Amino acid sequence: MPEAICQMAGRKDNVEMDEKNTNNAQGGIQQVEDKNKALDVHNEELEKVLNEYMEDRTNEKLGKLINVIVGCRLLVPAIVNEENKPYPLTITSNKQEKFIPVYTSVAQIPKEPKSPGILNMPYILVNHMAANEKSELAGVVINPFSQNLVFKKQLTEKIKNEFDARRKRAKEQGEGGTKTMQVTQEQYNVLTRKQYEFNFLPKKFFEGGQEFIDTLCDKKEEFIDQLYEEAYQEKRLYPYLPEDFSVMIMDISEELLVIRVDFPEQNMTVPSCYRIYFTWNAKTKEGRYFTIEKTKDREAKLLGEMNDKIQHVSYGEAPVEGAELQEIIDLHQGTAKHTS
């Protein structure tokens, strides 16, 4: 890694909390939680390489730190604006520069000054905020009350550019890349997607029940993205952001809730889901998991279901998108014409 990049990572002394929020906190942030209730993160590997870099600031160790942190979720102090939307707080240096503080664990967050709330966010999303050329942010500061390591704006821009280039390459691979290493990564993403949509996610749903539904209604795209990333053994290969997903919640009746989740087109192959539908009976606390699946026929989609035994059921060709919801409701209520 070039020497110039290494020089961009440094310390900032005499920092203080600033109540002014940034103007660039956007997609993927759904909820602010009290710090004691925040979804904690487990970043043992990150903290290890962070300590190694703090002890010996070489280009090699900085590169290793960057490679690890881009695959991690961190905790970010936040406030809620008048529209009830959360925004990251900033820290002000003695040079009046604004930085987004991020913490590798709850233990790193000081009791004072106390933050109104905590966001659990992918580091790469925070990095993109700091790198935004329209923002007045000077960068990101990691664990400001301990290691106090700063990634200056120039470094966040380089990280953003590399990450965006990597995503672009991954997308091109899905459209017919031929390099051996690229195909291997593509295959990994495809296999993990299949595992997530047809095994990992329905298992989480049936095991979690009402708690799963409540969390999904609360966190929406952030929750789906968090679970998806959890399914990845190789976190650094995780290709999505919360805004790549779409969650729609529909109260059909007092007893029936339907939640539609649309998935990214990236890494979609056969079998993959364009979208899924969770149905949930609030009275009986029972739910079902329906799938709208890609087929080899571009003009046709498959309507399926993963039952509570994680067995796949096929209902044949799916109706047109505008009629999907009614068909899902009919299947849930046992009045559909489709049969397995």
Side-chain angles (χ1 to χ4, degrees):
M1 183 169 292
E3 180 66 22
I5 294 181
C6 187
Q7 293 173 351
M8 293 174 194
R11 292 179 65 91
K12 284 288 176 184
D13 298 319
N14 302 322
V15 295
E16 57 184 16
M17 293 302 295
D18 177 18
E19 294 295 328
K20 182 179 179 181
N21 61 283
T22 68
N23 295 319
N24 297 281
Q26 298 177 352
I29 310 172
Q30 297 295 331
Q31 180 189 22
V32 173
E33 300 189 19
D34 181 82
K35 185 177 75 174
N36 294 328
K37 297 180 180 179
L39 290 174
D40 199 2
V41 288
H42 301 282
N43 289 315
E44 290 82 3
E45 182 182 5
L46 172 59
E47 291 176 338
K48 177 183 177 182
V49 297
L50 176 58
N51 287 328
E52 289 175 352
Y53 176 69
M54 297 303 295
E55 293 175 0
D56 183 16
R57 299 192 180 202
T58 64
N59 289 343
E60 180 181 357
K61 290 185 177 179
L62 176 58
K64 184 177 180 181
L65 171 60
I66 291 172
N67 286 336
V68 173
I69 199 171
V70 295
C72 294
R73 301 184 74 92
L74 301 178
L75 301 178
V76 184
I79 58 174
V80 178
N81 66 8
E82 295 177 353
E83 298 177 354
N84 200 34
K85 293 182 179 180
Y87 285 84
L89 286 168
T90 60
I91 274 184
T92 304
S93 74
N94 52 7
K95 294 182 179 180
Q96 299 304 305
E97 294 175 311
K98 305 290 185 181
F99 295 85
I100 300 180
V102 296
Y103 297 90
T104 56
S105 68
V106 167
Q108 289 286 346
I109 303 176
K111 294 182 179 180
E112 297 295 339
K114 187 175 182 180
S115 304
I118 301 295
L119 295 171
N120 179 322
M121 297 175 60
Y123 169 77
I124 196 64
L125 185 57
V126 180
N127 188 91
H128 278 39
M129 293 178 189
N132 190 326
E133 61 181 12
K134 295 181 180 179
S135 81
E136 298 179 355
L137 295 168
V140 177
V141 56
I142 304 167
N143 292 339
F145 295 90
S146 54
Q147 286 96 346
N148 198 25
L149 178 67
V150 167
F151 281 3
K152 295 183 180 179
K153 193 178 190 76
Q154 298 97 315
L155 180 55
T156 65
E157 290 171 347
K158 289 182 179 293
I159 294 172
K160 176 184 182 299
N161 292 339
E162 174 59 27
F163 182 83
D164 290 346
R166 190 182 306 172
R167 291 192 68 179
K168 182 179 179 181
R169 289 195 298 269
K171 184 176 181 180
E172 291 172 349
Q173 292 161 24
E175 297 172 352
T178 57
K179 293 184 179 180
T180 302
M181 185 173 69
Q182 292 177 337
V183 171
T184 300
Q185 181 173 334
E186 178 192 357
Q187 289 174 338
Y188 177 82
N189 287 330
V190 167
L191 289 172
T192 304
R193 176 168 184 153
K194 178 182 177 182
Q195 178 73 8
Y196 176 78
E197 295 171 358
F198 294 98
N199 187 287
F200 184 87
L201 188 57
K203 271 187 178 179
K204 289 286 187 180
F205 170 53
F206 289 116
E207 290 172 358
Q210 186 66 60
E211 182 179 357
F212 179 98
I213 291 295
D214 291 343
T215 305
L216 178 56
C217 290
D218 196 15
K219 295 181 176 296
K220 303 180 180 69
E221 291 85 0
E222 181 186 2
F223 184 53
I224 292 296
D225 175 69
Q226 179 182 330
L227 290 176
Y228 213 141
E229 187 174 5
E230 184 180 329
Y232 262 67
Q233 295 294 325
E234 294 291 336
K235 305 297 184 187
R236 301 174 202 177
L237 297 181
Y238 183 64
Y240 306 120
L241 292 173
E243 56 262 37
D244 292 327
F245 304 90
S246 174
V247 175
M248 182 184 301
I249 301 170
M250 296 166 279
D251 287 302
I252 305 302
S253 66
E254 291 184 0
E255 296 182 356
L256 179 59
L257 177 72
V258 177
I259 303 177
R260 167 175 163 163
V261 179
D262 287 82
F263 292 115
E265 292 186 5
Q266 183 181 351
N267 300 314
M268 181 177 288
T269 185
V270 179
S272 293
C273 296
Y274 290 98
R275 52 195 158 272
I276 60 171
Y277 289 86
F278 297 100
T279 63
W280 184 253
N281 187 309
K283 184 176 181 179
T284 64
K285 306 299 181 186
E286 295 177 334
R288 297 175 71 174
Y289 180 102
F290 296 99
T291 56
I292 304 296
E293 304 169 25
K294 182 180 179 67
T295 67
K296 294 180 180 180
D297 183 354
R298 292 187 177 182
E299 302 300 322
K301 298 180 178 66
L302 177 71
L303 172 58
E305 179 179 6
M306 296 302 298
N307 62 26
D308 57 2
K309 295 181 175 59
I310 316 301
Q311 297 171 332
H312 185 265
V313 179
S314 174
Y315 296 108
E317 185 173 345
V320 296
E321 185 173 351
E324 284 176 3
L325 178 59
Q326 187 59 55
E327 187 70 20
I328 296 297
I329 294 172
D330 291 344
L331 281 169
H332 178 90
Q333 296 175 338
T335 59
K337 295 180 181 179
H338 268 108
T339 57
S340 58

